[in-house]
Amino acid sequence: MAQKGLHEYTVQEAENAKLGQAGYVYGSASAVTGTEYIAITALSAAQVDTTSNDTAVYPTLTNVTIPVGTTIYGRWTSVNLDSGTIIVYKG
């Protein structure tokens, strides 16, 4: 399935995605897969690995530590939590 480029979203679609309108997954262990994820917020210091579907724009992350209260944005097909607690937003 072809993915929309950054400038192909309508204003409404972009705002909805930014606000997490597609839902979220709360995690304190293991991996989340099966959809596309657009943001990760650390509720406690977290170490994650991600798989990107477009590494030219959103690199795959390996052993990245996200400080508590920080949100990172991207477009991933899976997020694996090694430690900590996160909320992963669907997009």
Side-chain angles (χ1 to χ4, degrees):
M1 182 170 110
Q3 299 296 320
K4 286 187 173 185
L6 180 62
H7 301 287
E8 295 178 45
Y9 288 102
T10 66
V11 172
Q12 184 70 38
E13 289 172 328
E15 287 299 313
N16 286 344
K18 182 174 77 173
L19 295 172
Q21 294 295 313
Y24 68 91
V25 176
Y26 171 84
S28 58
S30 76
V32 290
T33 60
T35 190
E36 194 165 77
Y37 303 97
I38 59 159
I40 303 168
T41 299
L43 301 178
S44 66
Q47 187 171 3
V48 299
D49 302 309
T50 66
T51 303
S52 177
N53 59 0
D54 185 354
T55 57
V57 179
Y58 305 106
T60 293
L61 306 175
T62 305
N63 295 323
V64 171
T65 300
I66 305 171
V68 64
T70 302
T71 301
I72 60 172
Y73 297 92
R75 194 160 291 282
W76 306 285
T77 55
S78 72
V79 177
N80 185 48
L81 178 62
D82 298 323
S83 65
T85 306
I86 59 175
I87 295 179
V88 183
Y89 295 92
K90 298 176 183 180

